[in-house]
């Protein structure tokens, strides 16, 4: 019964902010690296941000300084704080959990940045 459930997506104006959440269950969350991917229409799915089991982080160049990934192991939840949003951030955002050769995906949440 592994589940990754994203929430927090929606429509926001350029320059605005949004916080995505991914609630995990059914596996040992604290031992998994967590990440956010996104996929825009006509484009490949790309890694946006990741956070390891020891809280090391990595970001795509396009979001550095604007997005922050964090995790709360007590709540089995990973977050993506998105600031200074741009139209090119528009995509479906997916939560991912990985440990060794095993990986899980959420269903995705739509983020639309438009005036």
């Amino acid at each position: 019964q592994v589940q990754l459930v994203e929430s927090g997506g929606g429509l926001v104006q350029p320059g605005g902010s949004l916080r995505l959440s991914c609630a995990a269950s059914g596996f040992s969350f604290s031992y998994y690296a967590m990440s956010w991917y996104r996929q825009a229409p006509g484009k490949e799915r790309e890694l946006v941000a990741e956070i390891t089991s020891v809280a090391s982080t990595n970001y795509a160049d396009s979001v550095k300084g604007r997005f922050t990934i964090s995790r709360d192991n007590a709540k089995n939840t990973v977050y993506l704080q998105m600031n200074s949003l741009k139209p090119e951030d528009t995509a479906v955002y997916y939560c991912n959990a990985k440990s060794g050769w095993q990986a899980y995906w959420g269903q995705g949440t739509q983020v639309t940045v438009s005036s």
Side-chain angles (χ1 to χ4, degrees), residues 1-5 23-28 32 97 102-106:
Q1 80 285 19
V2 170
Q3 286 192 83
L4 295 173
V5 181
S25 60
F27 63 98
S28 298
Y32 279 68
Q102 193 162 128
Y104 305 118
W105 290 93

Side-chain angles (χ1 to χ4, degrees), residues 23-42:
S25 60
F27 63 98
S28 298
F29 178 85
S30 64
Y31 298 114
Y32 279 68
M34 303 297 298
S35 61
W36 290 94
Y37 287 74
R38 68 185 181 189
Q39 188 166 25

Side-chain angles (χ1 to χ4, degrees), residues 44-95:
E44 295 276 308
R45 187 172 298 188
E46 64 173 343
L47 177 67
V48 177
E50 61 183 354
I51 183 166
T52 70
S53 61
V54 294
S56 296
T57 59
N58 185 50
Y59 299 91
D61 288 341
S62 59
V63 307
K64 284 181 179 178
R66 300 188 298 121
F67 291 10
T68 303
I69 189 170
S70 61
R71 66 191 297 158
D72 187 337
N73 289 342
K75 296 181 179 179
N76 284 4
T77 301
V78 63
Y79 305 95
L80 185 67
Q81 179 65 48
M82 308 164 66
N83 298 326
S84 302
L85 283 161
K86 304 174 180 180
E88 50 262 48
D89 295 318
T90 296
V92 177
Y93 284 70
Y94 298 91
C95 181

